[in-house]
Amino acid sequence: MAEHGFDVKRLPGAAVLAVTTFIILYIPMVILVSYSFNSGKVIGNWEGFSLTWYGAALQNAAFLDAAINSLILATSASVISTLMATMAAIATTRAAKFRGESTIHIILNQPLMVPEIVLAIALLIIIGQIKQATGYTGLGFLIAAHTTFCIPFAYLPIRARLEGMDLSLETAATDLYATRFYTFRRVTLPLLAPGIMAGFMLAFVISLDDVVMSDFLKSPGQETLPTYLMGELRRNLTSEIYAISSLLLLISVLIVAGSWVATRKKN
Amino acid sequence: MILSETSRRWALAMPAVVTIMLFSILPLGVVLFYSFLSPGDFGNVKWILSADGWFSVLFERDIFDDTLMVSDAHLTILGRSVGLSFATTLITLVFGLPTAWFIATRPAAQRGFWLFLITIPFWTNLLVRTIAVQEMIRSEGVFNRVLMALGIIHEPLQMMFTNFAVLLGMAYVFLPLMVLPVYAAIEKFDFRLTEASYDLYASRFYCLRRVIFPLVRPGIIAGSILVFVPALGAYVTPRIMGGGKSMMLGNLIDMQFGQGRNWPLGAALAITLTILVLVALIWYTRLTSGRTERNHG
Amino acid sequence: MLDIREISKRFGYGNGVVTALHDVSFSIAEGEFFTLLGPSGCGKTTLLRLIAGFSAPSGGALVLDGKDIAGMPPNRRPVNTVFQNYALFPHMTVAQNVAFALEAQGRRREEVVPAVDEMLKLVQLVQLKDRKSSELSGGQQQRVALARALVARPRILLLDEPLSALDMKLRKEMQIELKRLQRETGLTFIFVTHDQEEALTMSDRIAVMSGGRVQQIASPRELYDRPANHFVAGFIGESNFLAVQANGGAVSIGTATVTLAGARDGPLTVMIRPEHVTLGTSLPDALNLTATVTQLVFFGTDTHVHLRLPDGTALVARIQNALHGGRSFNEGEAIAVALPAEALRITAKAEEQA
């Protein structure tokens, strides 16, 4: 006698395909990480566990430069874009429709609608002219570009959070003689914080992971982690690549885990 | 200073709007303009208007007798881009739908775990994941080594730098993009409806066809667009998996700004790509605005 | 035609086991309007789901037309359900919803269309046949759910508290509707509800359930007049319970005594319905007592007279408000109360019933 009865949520074959998919998704990444611990020089010939490649990477000046660039870039871009996105979200959410609102909305989402390579060459053209004219080759261009495409990524979670917020709290605050700014500072902002945090982390990861834009807009000698990685791929296939890749992987896992824990706590 | 409500809201949104206009929208206009110029001798452009850029998207002149021919190379690349994007979408559907279903039907306690598992690849660097895939199928890669060790083959299979490699790479990196919207749709699905359908003699397949699928469809369409559009404009994955032999539109564009030294052509190609993407997005909006189940029987 | 034989259902395992049904057994005849009645948690919905096939029994057999269906999946059983929340397919029209069962069985169009039309006529929804099911009112949705479940002429129609979401007036209308439908189609209905009034008005027989057991199965009249135990007596209709002493075939409260058949010696509980409590006089063959009127409650058709006996026991009497004559009572007044022996029922205190 079947104890469990008829499971309406069961679709034959789904579980098998699903688990297979998970395995297929993870095997390449697991192998990649395992290579980074391989002490041997030839990729694929397992010669023993070692951290030499990580060491090599950390002593590699080019790698360190790229890492620092990436960090500066990601931090600046995410801070600035989150700031702008927060302001924009407040401007466009929970308002009675005002003139131009949908226009603003479209503009804010525009970078998502155009393939990145198109934006990359577009900026290449413009920035190329500016470089010629001014001779400036610093990180500024990249920061501007990253900030731009990070804005929609920061905007969406903040807006979502804002829309889900209880308006009555702010009404209560105003009822208690708070000025607009005070209400914002003491009531709105703290409640909005998780959304802002989510937007910030999203922007950070997007910037850190960016390949196309950075590759096109960087000046000679200027590298970010992903562009450095891509360059190394073509030059020499050493296990150092896997070490760097594993590091990037680790950062992603940490950020995802971090935001997971953060959202668990909130709920 | 007392501003009207509208002005105040505009002011708040200004920084974001201005940034995007300056660095995203305006540049697009520049690209459009550049597509009508002539290529410079060492890259960049000469300020002479010309339709050659657009012309060269699809056509070329024979170098000897100047006759017009359709550019096979370009056509192949365009076809490959659209074709592989469709194929990628299909593959991610085949693997992504059951995965989304599986996660959504786990008991609540387990679900977080599976979601976590699918979110990690989603946030992992595209480049890193492409490198991981590449490692599997290159000549000295895992696949070949295993097959050779088992004695099934004696020489490594050449899988890299083919359409297959690009397809595999794109399906691998874009799969999580399909799973998440479909998961969201299934999660909202009312399973009491499936109970009702089984009560009324439906087989599992019939229930899937007439009850589950129509109600989950918006999520499936969203996932498809979320895969198709990035696939169409893909650059990194085709570059690494396809090399120079299996180029997609993004790589072709890149070439014009590199060794190809034909910026107007690159610009025209870029606008073409943008238009293709816009068409896909418009088609998506049409599909998702108020579709009803057509009459059966 | 449906035999439920020692069906039990347990959830969980080890120390956390919950027994939802304890060896339930009874039979339902063809063409009956049978009701499972009880408070929430009594096991009625669990039993319904077992019959529908969404759950499997932990023990016992479900025999339909001579075959054990316990192992049969729900989509093979000739049993259809009207769900509490209707579960109409929101993306389909009324007609498509109703046609579903037939189309799922692969019937051809020529068969399906007339059957659907006939069913829509039966529930009086013909004019709405092309409306989307999500655009209907509660009452209309309910009728679609009915039509949808009836169209395939199942051996049994299960109804899981289908009227609970409707307002009072609509409910009463639908009760009459359902009864009519059952008569016209001649199908066997198994109806689940917690509303005893509803059960009494509609059913041929009622199974009163509590704590995973069947307390009594009988016709509405029988349940009302001769409740088998304390629980049934208290659940069906209104009742007054009195503690009495029995000795040698007679029961007494204080000095009042009356002969009552079946009274075992010792303390007992007896039950009497409010409408049988006679006021203002004493009767032969009755417990004649004096009580104080504590409250009068006007109900339109009747008045409830709340009384208190000298020992503190509360009683409620129900008298019809006649056009002429009839005594009126005042709060605080002491009046005579007569409890006729033939209206007294002995009820066991405990709910466990053999």
Side-chain angles (χ1 to χ4, degrees):
Chain A
M1 195 114 46
E3 179 58 46
H4 299 292
F6 189 82
D7 186 359
V8 294
K9 290 193 179 180
R10 207 186 123 244
L11 274 185
V16 173
L17 262 175
V19 175
T20 311
T21 307
F22 274 108
I23 294 177
I24 296 180
L25 265 182
Y26 273 85
I27 284 188
M29 294 199 286
V30 167
I31 291 182
L32 182 139
V33 173
S34 72
Y35 278 5
S36 70
F37 292 115
N38 183 3
S39 64
K41 274 216 169 241
V42 182
I43 297 179
N45 283 338
W46 183 254
E47 283 173 34
F49 183 93
S50 123
L51 291 173
T52 44
W53 300 110
Y54 289 94
L58 289 172
Q59 284 168 353
N60 188 334
F63 166 76
L64 289 172
D65 274 343
I68 292 177
N69 279 345
S70 275
L71 211 58
I72 298 177
L73 197 45
T75 314
S76 332
S78 46
V79 166
I80 301 176
S81 63
T82 306
L83 203 63
M84 292 192 188
T86 309
M87 290 165 65
I90 294 176
T92 59
T93 320
R94 300 183 311 166
K97 288 255 178 233
F98 63 96
R99 217 148 47 99
E101 182 189 337
S102 41
T103 317
I104 293 185
H105 200 75
I106 294 181
I107 293 180
L108 288 175
N109 282 317
Q110 183 269 347
L112 295 175
M113 297 195 282
V114 178
E116 212 189 337
I117 178 125
V118 174
L119 286 177
I121 60 153
L123 284 174
L124 176 72
I125 294 175
I126 294 185
I127 284 170
Q129 301 287 39
I130 301 181
K131 273 190 195 169
Q132 257 190 341
T134 66
Y136 171 74
T137 55
L139 271 183
F141 298 123
L142 279 175
I143 294 181
H146 278 224
T147 306
T148 309
F149 69 68
C150 281
I151 290 180
F153 285 102
Y155 175 71
L156 289 171
I158 299 178
R159 185 195 163 103
R161 174 86 187 166
L162 205 49
E163 284 191 329
M165 264 169 59
D166 190 357
L167 199 55
S168 59
L169 289 164
E170 289 165 330
T171 318
T174 330
D175 186 60
L176 295 168
Y177 309 110
T179 65
R180 217 182 168 109
F181 185 65
Y182 191 77
T183 309
F184 177 74
R185 192 161 67 85
R186 297 299 300 274
V187 179
T188 317
L189 213 48
L191 284 173
L192 198 48
I196 297 181
M197 202 69 247
F200 174 79
M201 287 202 287
L202 197 47
F204 190 85
V205 172
I206 293 284
S207 166
L208 201 61
D209 280 350
D210 175 68
V211 185
V212 184
M213 197 74 82
S214 313
D215 196 46
F216 273 79
L217 299 180
K218 65 184 172 76
S219 310
Q222 198 180 59
E223 302 284 341
T224 65
L225 268 179
T227 65
Y228 175 73
L229 197 54
M230 204 154 73
E232 286 299 291
L233 255 184
R234 321 172 95 197
R235 277 191 283 274
N236 34 333
L237 211 57
T238 69
S239 289
E240 194 180 318
I241 293 181
Y242 297 110
I244 301 176
S245 302
S246 304
L247 280 174
L248 281 173
L249 207 95
L250 182 65
I251 297 179
S252 300
V253 174
L254 285 177
I255 294 188
V256 173
S259 66
W260 216 254
V261 168
T263 42
R264 282 306 130 110
K265 281 222 182 110
K266 290 310 181 230
N267 300 341
Chain B
M1 177 171 60
I2 299 178
L3 291 170
S4 74
E5 183 70 18
T6 308
S7 310
R8 181 128 38 86
R9 289 187 180 270
W10 268 94
L12 268 180
M14 250 334 102
V17 169
V18 166
T19 308
I20 293 184
M21 294 223 65
L22 265 185
F23 294 104
S24 186
I25 298 184
L26 184 64
L28 275 182
V30 172
V31 172
L32 185 60
F33 178 57
Y34 265 50
S35 68
F36 289 105
L37 296 178
S38 308
D41 298 316
F42 301 105
N44 218 313
V45 291
K46 287 208 261 249
W47 293 86
I48 306 169
L49 283 177
S50 152
D52 262 349
W54 281 100
F55 182 75
S56 311
V57 169
L58 285 178
F59 301 102
E60 58 190 10
R61 282 183 203 281
D62 185 281
I63 48 172
F64 294 115
D65 56 20
D66 226 27
T67 52
L68 266 171
M69 305 182 304
V70 170
S71 167
D72 275 336
H74 286 191
L75 223 52
T76 311
I77 292 176
L78 266 168
R80 180 183 296 129
S81 297
V82 176
L84 284 185
S85 301
F86 270 117
T88 305
T89 310
L90 250 121
I91 296 183
T92 53
L93 271 170
V94 167
F95 285 92
L97 294 187
T99 309
W101 178 269
F102 178 78
I103 303 178
T105 54
R106 291 310 92 204
Q110 270 182 38
R111 208 174 298 171
F113 167 71
W114 294 103
L115 271 177
F116 181 70
L117 271 192
I118 198 77
T119 316
I120 289 187
F122 188 69
W123 287 128
T124 307
N125 194 323
L126 183 70
L127 184 56
V128 169
R129 280 188 290 143
T130 309
I131 293 176
V133 170
Q134 183 213 39
E135 181 49 42
M136 301 298 288
I137 67 169
R138 65 192 184 95
S139 304
E140 296 100 40
V142 174
F143 219 61
N144 273 314
R145 289 170 142 264
V146 166
L147 286 180
M148 292 218 280
L150 289 176
I152 301 179
I153 53 174
H154 301 288
E155 270 189 23
L157 289 172
Q158 180 62 278
M159 293 184 278
M160 283 293 290
F161 313 122
T162 59
N163 285 348
F164 167 74
V166 177
L167 181 58
L168 188 69
M170 290 208 293
Y172 181 76
V173 301
F174 292 135
L175 182 59
L177 288 174
M178 171 65 78
V179 174
L180 290 169
V182 177
Y183 163 79
I186 299 178
E187 212 249 333
K188 285 200 296 230
F189 177 77
D190 184 357
F191 278 94
R192 290 179 298 190
L193 293 174
T194 56
E195 250 185 21
S197 77
Y198 291 126
D199 181 74
L200 297 167
Y201 312 110
S203 64
R204 291 219 189 254
F205 181 69
Y206 194 79
C207 172
L208 181 63
R209 180 164 76 87
R210 287 207 65 196
V211 179
I212 299 176
F213 182 77
L215 291 171
V216 166
R217 219 179 77 151
I220 297 180
I221 295 179
S224 304
I225 275 288
L226 230 49
V227 169
F228 187 79
V229 166
L232 203 52
Y235 168 74
V236 175
T237 307
R239 173 164 155 173
I240 294 181
M241 304 301 286
K245 299 220 192 100
S246 191
M247 287 181 21
M248 287 189 41
L249 206 41
N251 310 112
L252 185 60
I253 295 173
D254 171 43
M255 198 169 93
Q256 309 313 321
F257 289 87
Q259 61 187 91
R261 298 186 198 286
N262 194 340
W263 286 29
L265 172 58
L269 286 168
I271 299 287
T272 309
L273 177 57
T274 311
I275 292 177
L276 281 175
V277 165
L278 275 175
V279 166
L281 283 174
I282 291 177
W283 191 52
Y284 167 69
T285 337
R286 285 267 177 79
L287 268 181
T288 53
S289 45
R291 296 262 301 199
T292 61
E293 161 155 336
R294 293 188 212 93
N295 259 306
H296 279 254
Chain C
M1 49 93 132
L2 177 69
D3 285 319
I4 299 173
R5 299 186 192 156
E6 284 164 38
I7 288 284
S8 58
K9 179 67 185 172
R10 287 178 288 279
F11 293 105
Y13 39 80
N15 284 333
V17 168
V18 170
T19 309
L21 292 170
H22 294 265
D23 292 327
V24 171
S25 299
F26 58 88
S27 295
I28 299 178
E30 180 118 28
E32 259 199 289
F33 194 119
F34 193 92
T35 300
L36 299 175
L37 172 67
S40 25
C42 70
K44 57 193 194 294
T45 305
T46 310
L47 186 54
L48 199 77
R49 288 178 67 82
L50 279 176
I51 301 174
F54 292 110
S55 186
S58 310
L62 269 174
V63 180
L64 177 65
D65 293 333
K67 267 200 321 213
D68 188 345
I69 59 171
M72 232 189 248
N75 49 9
R76 298 258 183 82
R77 300 191 191 192
V79 173
N80 292 138
T81 311
V82 178
F83 295 90
Q84 194 170 4
N85 69 320
Y86 316 134
L88 297 183
F89 303 125
H91 57 297
M92 297 190 200
T93 64
V94 167
Q96 287 167 337
N97 264 281
V98 176
F100 189 86
L102 299 176
E103 290 176 340
Q105 288 176 321
R107 311 273 188 96
R108 287 175 2 258
R109 213 191 147 167
E110 305 85 66
E111 264 189 81
V112 175
V113 176
V116 169
D117 284 336
E118 188 193 322
M119 206 40 68
L120 287 174
K121 242 183 274 174
L122 195 61
V123 296
Q124 290 154 2
L125 278 179
V126 185
Q127 71 281 19
L128 290 176
K129 73 184 275 212
D130 290 318
R131 191 80 71 84
K132 271 287 201 59
S133 60
S134 43
E135 296 166 10
L136 302 173
S137 72
Q140 291 166 336
Q141 286 188 357
Q142 224 256 354
R143 281 185 274 158
V144 177
L146 263 169
R148 186 175 73 167
L150 282 171
V151 76
R153 305 232 157 245
R155 294 291 289 142
I156 302 178
L157 181 70
L158 303 172
L159 300 108
D160 188 4
E161 305 204 48
L163 308 181
S164 54
L166 304 173
D167 64 67
M168 190 54 119
K169 183 160 172 291
L170 203 49
R171 253 181 119 150
K172 298 247 186 270
E173 281 174 20
M174 280 312 299
Q175 285 167 6
I176 302 175
E177 260 304 292
L178 272 175
K179 193 72 189 160
R180 176 185 74 86
L181 271 171
Q182 196 261 336
R183 287 258 174 69
E184 274 190 45
T185 58
L187 296 173
T188 312
F189 278 27
I190 302 183
F191 189 84
V192 165
T193 183
H194 59 269
D195 182 339
Q196 50 96 28
E197 213 181 285
E198 196 166 79
L200 289 177
T201 52
M202 298 169 73
S203 326
D204 291 329
R205 280 195 305 154
I206 304 174
V208 179
M209 295 179 67
S210 166
R213 288 178 225 273
V214 175
Q215 302 296 326
Q216 186 179 3
I217 300 185
S219 68
R221 186 87 225 206
E222 176 98 6
L223 279 177
Y224 190 81
D225 283 343
R226 269 175 290 281
N229 61 30
H230 187 91
F231 177 80
V232 179
F235 195 79
I236 306 261
E238 289 166 45
S239 40
N240 293 299
F241 292 101
L242 294 140
V244 300
Q245 275 293 114
N247 207 337
V251 297
S252 50
I253 299 180
T255 49
T257 275
V258 77
T259 330
L260 188 59
R264 284 172 293 116
D265 287 0
L268 284 180
T269 310
V270 294
M271 187 275 290
I272 183 167
R273 298 285 182 202
E275 63 268 24
H276 296 147
V277 176
T278 316
L279 300 177
T281 175
S282 56
L283 296 170
D285 250 346
L287 276 175
N288 294 305
L289 310 162
T290 323
T292 324
V293 177
T294 57
Q295 201 184 8
L296 294 165
V297 186
F298 177 68
F299 270 100
T301 47
D302 338 296
T303 299
H304 283 201
V305 183
H306 291 249
L307 305 152
R308 199 189 21 230
L309 295 177
D311 67 2
T313 315
L315 269 183
V316 180
R318 196 151 68 83
I319 47 178
Q320 259 193 322
N321 294 329
L323 205 48
H324 299 291
R327 249 199 75 168
S328 60
F329 305 96
N330 303 306
E331 286 187 22
E333 200 182 322
I335 54 172
V337 175
L339 310 176
E342 62 179 339
L344 292 173
R345 303 275 173 265
I346 302 172
T347 63
K349 212 31 165 126
E351 288 174 26
E352 275 81 85
Q353 189 72 0

